[in-house]
Amino acid sequence: MGEITSEIVQAHQLTPEEYEKILSILGREPTYTELGIFSVMWSEHCSYKSSRLHLKKLPTTGKHVLQGPGENAGVIDIGDGYAIAFKIESHNHPSFIEPFQGAATGVGGILRDIFTMGARPIAVMDSLRFGPLDDPQAGARNKRILEGVVSGIAHYGNCFGVPTVGGECVFEPGYNGNPLVNVFALGVFKKDEIFLARACGLGNPVIYVGAKTGRDGIHGASMASAEFTEESQQKRPNVQVGDPFLEKLLLEACLEAMRTGAIVGIQDMGAAGLTCSTCEMGSRGGTGIEIELDLVPQRETGMTPYEIMLSESQERMLLVAEKGREQEVFRVFRKWGLDAVTVGRVTNDGMMRVKHHGQIVAEIPSRALADDAPLYDRPHTQPRRTAPLDGPEFQSASLERDLEALLASGDICSKRWIWEQYDYMVRTNTVQGPGGDAAVIRIKETGTSVAMALDGNGRYCALSPRQGARLAVAECCRNLSTVGALPVAATNCLNFGNPERPEIMAQLVEAIEGMGEACRFFETPITGGNVSLYNETLGEAIDPTPVVGVVGLLPTGPPLTIDFKRAGRAVILLGGFGRCNSRRFGSTQYAKVVLKQVWGLPPELDMDYEKRVQAAMREIAAAGLAESAHDLSDGGLAVAAAECSFGPAGVGARLDLDADMRPEYLLFHEGPSRILLSTAQPDQVQTIAARHGVEAPRIGDTIEEGLVIRSRGRVHVDLNVERLKRLWSDALEKALRT
Amino acid sequence: MRFGVVVFPGSNCDHDAWYAVEKNLGQTAEFIWHDSAELGNVDAVILPGGFSYGDYLRCGAIAKFSRVMQAVKKFASEGGLVLGICNGFQILVESGLLPGALIRNRGLKFICRPVELRTETTNSPFTCEAQKGAILTIPIAHGEGCYYADERTLDELEAEDRVVFRYVDNPNGSLRDIAGILNRERNVLGLMPHPERASDPLMGSTDGLVLFRSMVSSMAVK
């Protein structure tokens, strides 16, 4: 290979300054293979060079946290000797280029992150963003992407045998050219059986297991670190192809091999493949690794060192075993019909040394490569904002038609069409699956359960990244509290545009700070996650979309679900009617769907009050006082009341709202810190609420049939529940068919 | 009673079946690896759900060549009870232990949801403890569960009272709403719904337990 020219450096998305840094680390010019290695390790995707400085502002420790950021997944203690590992990751860029495989391999990647730690994956959730299905230009493509992404997730998760138990799906024009696919996974294991991605023990063998290496996915990490341009569609070969069956075998084989006690460290090969796993394991272990590429199982002939090192072929793992116990490991992998070969050994010189046909083709200090990546304090100004602060004068023509429009809108309508394609019950732990405020999975080993939810709100964050991020954390914790779980830890996926633009960088900084404030306040430290930048197509950035996943703990028991169970029960609005004004109303679904414009600010959040509402809710749930509970979010009180009426019992409600607020606000504002519940013991519920200093007006009763909402003598809504439910449940399928 | 749960590479409901038998039913269950030539000392065999060998070809098409299936065939021919759930049903059909085929769902999508099944016969070791006509709520989770067979086979299944369960509201296009069938000797049952997922009150239904209980009581009679 010839000399490294500035064109070659630029083609690797390295700046001249970064190239200078490479020269000083090596003390010489890099080989072509080395340049490739640096380019992927120092890509935004792998190095977090734009975000690292600000990610330090997030709280990462807490009394449940056993492992914070820096490993393949965060780990928390759930008691009784058990722990859970969980993380969320994005697969946005591949999913736009090839929706089915992009989403499928997104699931595959996060599952490997979980079982690399030694945990068996027991739940998956997805946070999805698409352009509107009825978009005049992009509608047809958006439908195709949605269908592809959903079947990709289903294909991988169903075959692997992990239940997909929840998530969220939102449609905004900002995602027309850049859909988001964020996948969360959670696994369970004994807390003294955590495996780390560390290469230790001089002379220990480095073993490659799983799929053979092919030319797929080369430079995937770099692709995920650039904006979409006209040429991006040419990058289809960069997207990997997933094999969930192979991953299932890899899971069983890895867990079984770990039980032999012969494994010292293990890391999956995800982004940046063999490059990332070798240098990170060496760096974390304070050792070096030497590998011979001739020994790497290859799917194709004539692969160059560059290609082998940068391949992102799926379903591969690298592990370090105890010297002399290789056969124990090989025996397990043979049983599962998988390749397992020694490709190198652990050294003590701190170098990542790669040989090909016996010749050294790369020799780089692991630590410098993994940990001394460029770190940028990118300039940030005011967050980009296009919406006006003040909105139009308006007057609803019919609150009933408004409610119907909201229930049939993309963000609010039932997502049954999506989640019925996911096996959400396999492993028989799903106490509460999709469609609830939070998913609840029982842990058979401990007799307790884990609740989890994902939340993000790009519309709020576009108006104020800081407030939007805080609201996302608050809502996620509220989702958990509504099913009776105590939120204990979180993971985040930060989806933003190009950080080299100061107004985008400002969105990122503000969102991280807002998320940090809220996570600190709600005592849900961030134990890991992922940053996805350059989510732009042809210069158009997505709405800033920080997504948070929170996990909580609760005793195992029958779930507290959202639907009204029996007529004649009191309906209580825990947290009260909340507050709203014309600016705060501009961020609501009502503004978006009915008025077709967005302005102003996100709803106002009082974190202290929010925390008290959640504490009251958990106490009410623990005492078994609530028959149903549903948190208020998109669409406000009227939408929540309708959703509570859509249960199998068909029970509706008659509500009489005694509040001083214009009816549009009263019914549809999205002020947080509110939960709608039904109960046979309203007095006891109100007593608990009062003790927490929380309003809890009784706003009506459940009734056999119909949804009636009045205030101050005026009837705003009087509708048939069955018909409303059909509108809500059929809307997505209808939108896909038209 | 001792149940054997076969584990193919790619089985993913093996543990669920084991758990239902051991923990919800209170009987004994053990796993049988796919390349075992012997089933060991078991009274009944469960072929669990999943994606045996990845099912990249027709579902169950590879599994029928596995060593354990030779043993299962022999076990069935000697009158042993064999219950095939979901992928297990597909394997039984591919192996020729049950007639017909399971093809892509009518809507071409994977479907996961609880469905209602009508118990069509109690003249079987899998439903002898159930009530004829009883409606059971048991989940399905499959992409290829549309039961297909020629008219003559379907007529024969009906004439011989071998249709054990029918969907009340057909989710996948199965001919004559068939959800589960018996072999002629009535000791092999294949069904698409997952009784092991409806065996624990926490999972929302315990209607599936009646199948396992029936197997236990019919073994006791033997």
Side-chain angles (χ1 to χ4, degrees), chain A residues 147 154-155 158-161 242-246 248-249 335-336 416-417 419-431 442 444 556-559, chain B residues 7-16 19 24 33-34 50-56 109-114 139-141 194 196-198 200 202-203:
Chain A
E147 299 211 33
H155 165 72
N158 295 354
C159 179
F160 180 84
D243 180 349
F245 169 59
L246 189 56
K248 164 75 172 165
L249 302 183
K335 171 185 164 190
W336 290 95
R416 185 177 46 87
W417 182 89
W419 51 255
E420 272 195 356
Q421 296 185 51
Y422 303 147
D423 188 342
Y424 57 88
M425 309 172 190
V426 63
R427 303 202 64 77
T428 57
N429 292 322
T430 310
V431 175
R442 72 159 161 195
K444 288 190 180 114
T556 295
Chain B
V7 182
F8 297 100
S11 291
N12 61 31
C13 302
D14 45 347
H15 190 265
D16 301 354
Y19 189 88
N24 302 134
W33 187 237
H34 69 113
F51 293 70
S52 51
Y53 305 93
D55 277 344
Y56 289 122
K109 299 250 183 271
F110 191 98
I111 306 170
C112 178
R113 76 167 76 122
I140 56 165
H194 287 269
E196 82 283 13
R197 295 187 185 189
D200 189 322
L202 270 176
M203 297 297 106

Side-chain angles (χ1 to χ4, degrees), chain A residues 9 51 91 192 317 348 461 472 495 532 677 697 734:
Chain A
V9 171
S51 57
H91 231 219
D192 54 4
M317 292 276 197
N348 60 359
C461 290
N495 307 275
S532 173
L677 57 87
K734 225 181 236 171

Side-chain angles (χ1 to χ4, degrees), chain B residues 93-141:
Chain B
V93 166
E94 283 288 335
S95 306
L97 284 167
L98 292 172
L102 291 150
I103 61 174
R104 284 287 292 280
N105 292 347
R106 180 174 45 195
L108 304 180
K109 299 250 183 271
F110 191 98
I111 306 170
C112 178
R113 76 167 76 122
V115 298
E116 290 187 336
L117 303 176
R118 195 168 49 246
T119 312
E120 298 287 17
T121 181
T122 52
N123 176 22
S124 88
F126 306 94
T127 51
C128 54
E129 292 287 313
Q131 297 290 319
K132 191 171 157 83
I135 303 293
L136 308 180
T137 299
I138 297 181
I140 56 165

Side-chain angles (χ1 to χ4, degrees), chain A residues 198-201 203-209 265 267 269 274 277-278 281-282 287-292 295-296 317-323 326 329-330 340-347:
Chain A
R198 275 156 212 216
C200 298
N204 274 341
V206 175
I207 299 174
Y208 171 114
V209 300
Q267 168 144 3
M269 293 189 231
L274 195 51
S277 49
T278 45
M281 283 183 83
T287 58
I289 285 186
E290 181 176 303
I291 55 171
E292 167 55 72
L295 302 172
V296 171
M317 292 276 197
L318 198 68
L319 52 91
V320 172
E322 251 177 58
K323 195 174 175 179
E326 295 90 331
V329 175
F330 292 156
V341 289
T342 301
V343 295
R345 61 190 183 87
V346 177
T347 65

Side-chain angles (χ1 to χ4, degrees), chain A residues 119-175:
Chain A
R120 177 178 285 278
I122 56 167
V124 161
M125 298 192 293
D126 311 283
S127 178
L128 308 177
R129 300 288 184 280
F130 304 101
L133 301 180
D134 58 357
D135 189 278
Q137 275 89 47
R141 186 175 67 186
N142 293 338
K143 285 177 198 169
R144 203 175 58 238
I145 293 174
L146 167 65
E147 299 211 33
V149 164
V150 170
S151 33
I153 293 168
H155 165 72
Y156 209 102
N158 295 354
C159 179
F160 180 84
V162 64
T164 302
V165 296
E168 45 160 22
C169 176
V170 172
F171 303 89
E172 293 279 357
Y175 306 110

